[in-house]
Amino acid sequence: MSGRCVHELRMIVVAALIIGVGACGGGGGSTSKDGRRGASATKIVIWEQMDPKEVTRFDRHLNAYMAAHPEVRVEHSHFNTEDLRSQFQNAANAGGGPDLVYGPSDQVGPFSVLKIILPLDTLIPASTLANFHPAAFDTLDGHIWAIPDQIGNHLVLVYNKDLVPTAPADFNALIDAARKLTVDDDGDGTPDRYGLAFETNEPFWLIPFLTASGGWVMDATGQPTLGTPAMVDALRFLADLKNKVGIVPKECNYQLMDTLFKEKKTPFIINGPWSWQDYIDSGINLGLAPIPPLEPGGRRPAPMAAAKGYSINANVPAERKAAVLALLEYLTSPEVVADFPDLLILPSRREILDSPKVTGNPLLVASRQAYEAGRRMPVTPQMRAIWDAMRPVQQSVMNGSLRPEAAAAQMQKDAVSKIAAMMN
């Protein structure tokens, strides 16, 4: 989907354990390139899922930490979202893996159920946790399982201010503006420019329309709530935008949306913070706004919102735990997260969220408004099965082979079945 890839929500079954699990874990002595660290140095290993620009800032902070702590050596390995999830699970279950694992919040559900990460509220003082945005933590079974350095991962309305100077107040106004900018330049019957483009085949992009219709994906017990009138309305609205209103490309996926926006062939898209800096670098006069209500005075869409952060491997030995906790405290400190706004990413710490670096940037102000209007992505393991139940059925609605009424019922049936299979 993007460099961040939190939307790679397909389950990938990895049949074999990764090679050399024991060698991947932290511990033992090592020698640094500059020779300052001898055989007694503490090695801490991190597995991470970061965008390239995030990796650059991450390396800078790690180098600063090691310069201040010559007795510590930190190594990190990069994974995409699904490989991080599956390989950490396999490695930790086998007694190995890294000391810290960094990634999107939805991975803490299966990790905590498998008892391969530690509850961090038992290790970090409440006074420290109080310095984070209150919605930043993923709590499951009464515990906090990851300490975030950033919040967000939420969808917003992204627009080109050179084509549309302000964001529309509601979807009626958006559709009116989009119709005027959906143009068949060569007269072949197919538009060359579209008024709106977004990923119509992935359920993550369906959620704002579901919440605007009054629905949600699961109840308080983790059981799916997909077979509802709200889901029917959301699917119908999404399908009509593409198939009846005609302002969205017929076969619109992430890549097409991204290309059309960069080429200034659409004024509006719906996308998340992983993409914004790339659009600015492409020369787009970028505007951001919360996704507007579907009708005047209607309920505002609530995109799913999440965090990214660090969890501690349950296999970390007692003698290295203090060093791992010290590094974790540093990586989530206000001094370190203070440069996230430079990447148009909302930091997790209150001190920086409320600082001029955020409050003085109109793009981040709009991003924070959208984030706080959002709804927290569930981290329970059932969410994985719900995504997999939604995706193919949504695609059938989008291609016209299934009506929304039948689709909602099918989603519910498939989700119940997949959850039952997962729990057995």
Side-chain angles (χ1 to χ4, degrees):
M1 301 297 175
S2 70
R4 182 157 303 189
C5 292
V6 74
H7 312 303
E8 298 170 3
L9 297 166
R10 298 172 178 85
M11 294 186 72
I12 298 175
V13 179
V14 179
L17 296 179
I18 60 171
I19 297 173
V21 163
C24 292
S30 59
T31 303
S32 66
K33 291 181 180 179
D34 58 13
R36 290 181 300 163
R37 292 173 176 83
S40 62
T42 298
K43 183 173 75 171
I44 300 175
V45 176
I46 304 172
W47 286 0
E48 45 80 8
Q49 178 266 341
M50 297 180 182
D51 291 345
K53 290 181 179 178
E54 290 181 76
V55 171
T56 298
R57 67 165 292 282
F58 186 56
D59 282 332
R60 184 173 69 251
H61 290 303
L62 287 183
N63 288 334
Y65 187 82
M66 289 188 286
H69 300 81
E71 75 283 2
V72 175
R73 176 178 177 178
V74 184
E75 298 177 356
H76 69 95
S77 297
H78 177 76
F79 296 83
N80 67 39
T81 304
E82 293 300 339
D83 286 347
L84 178 72
R85 191 189 315 272
S86 59
Q87 294 198 18
F88 177 75
Q89 182 173 313
N90 289 334
N93 276 329
D99 300 290
L100 291 169
V101 57
Y102 176 89
S105 58
D106 61 334
Q107 68 187 16
V108 306
F111 291 173
S112 64
V113 169
L114 291 169
K115 302 186 185 305
I116 56 177
I117 55 176
L118 297 176
L120 297 178
D121 53 293
T122 65
L123 300 173
I124 297 174
S127 57
T128 299
L129 298 178
N131 293 317
F132 291 80
H133 188 286
F137 295 113
D138 296 297
T139 303
L140 196 62
D141 295 332
H143 291 293
I144 293 171
W145 301 94
I147 303 299
D149 61 355
Q150 62 176 274
I151 57 175
N153 199 55
H154 54 296
L155 294 173
V156 307
L157 183 68
V158 184
Y159 61 102
N160 184 334
K161 295 169 71 174
D162 290 336
L163 300 176
V164 284
T166 59
D170 53 63
F171 248 90
N172 288 347
L174 190 155
I175 289 170
D176 288 343
R179 279 179 168 146
K180 296 173 184 176
L181 293 166
T182 301
V183 180
D184 178 7
D185 291 317
D186 55 17
D188 66 353
T190 300
D192 300 286
R193 289 177 284 156
Y194 289 88
L196 173 66
F198 63 98
E199 169 64 85
T200 57
N201 291 315
E202 281 292 333
F204 190 76
W205 273 259
L206 174 62
I207 297 300
F209 301 97
L210 175 63
T211 54
S213 301
W216 189 236
V217 293
M218 65 172 64
D219 62 21
T221 67
Q223 294 306 302
T225 55
L226 305 178
T228 62
M231 179 62 79
V232 175
D233 290 344
L235 288 167
R236 182 181 294 114
F237 187 88
L238 196 67
D240 285 352
L241 278 179
K242 185 176 77 164
N243 300 322
K244 291 186 178 180
V245 180
I247 59 173
V248 178
K250 291 288 186 182
E251 301 298 331
C252 194
N253 57 23
Y254 189 95
Q255 290 72 26
L256 179 59
M257 167 192 70
D258 192 60
T259 299
L260 287 172
F261 193 67
K262 287 178 178 176
E263 294 180 352
K264 303 182 181 181
K265 292 182 178 179
T266 184
F268 298 112
I269 63 170
I270 297 173
N271 212 353
W274 56 88
S275 65
W276 303 337
Q277 188 60 53
D278 192 31
Y279 295 143
I280 293 173
D281 294 343
S282 299
I284 300 296
N285 185 7
L286 195 70
L288 303 177
I291 300 171
L294 305 190
E295 57 187 21
R299 183 186 286 109
R300 183 169 290 279
M304 276 193 173
K308 289 179 70 176
Y310 299 89
S311 298
I312 297 180
N313 190 338
N315 298 315
V316 173
E319 66 270 16
R320 201 162 64 249
K321 193 174 293 182
V324 172
L325 280 167
L327 177 60
L328 174 57
E329 180 180 0
Y330 167 78
L331 291 173
T332 56
S333 67
E335 295 78 15
V336 171
V337 306
D339 56 6
F340 272 127
D342 299 333
L343 301 178
L344 295 180
I345 294 171
L346 294 172
S348 59
R349 299 284 300 223
R350 291 175 184 263
E351 306 99 308
I352 311 304
L353 266 176
D354 296 331
S355 75
K357 292 198 73 170
V358 174
T359 61
N361 185 325
L363 295 177
L364 288 173
V365 169
S367 174
R368 185 173 181 179
Q369 289 173 344
Y371 171 78
E372 293 186 343
R375 190 162 177 180
R376 189 74 180 182
M377 180 187 292
V379 298
T380 58
Q382 293 95 320
M383 192 65 230
R384 304 285 295 170
I386 289 174
W387 287 130
D388 288 342
M390 292 177 68
R391 183 175 298 104
V393 178
Q394 177 180 336
Q395 291 170 0
S396 295
V397 174
M398 292 303 108
N399 66 29
S401 64
L402 192 62
R403 293 179 60 82
E405 294 82 1
Q410 188 65 49
M411 281 183 179
Q412 179 71 14
K413 178 182 177 182
D414 291 350
V416 170
S417 176
K418 289 178 182 295
I419 289 171
M422 181 178 67
M423 296 301 183
N424 290 333

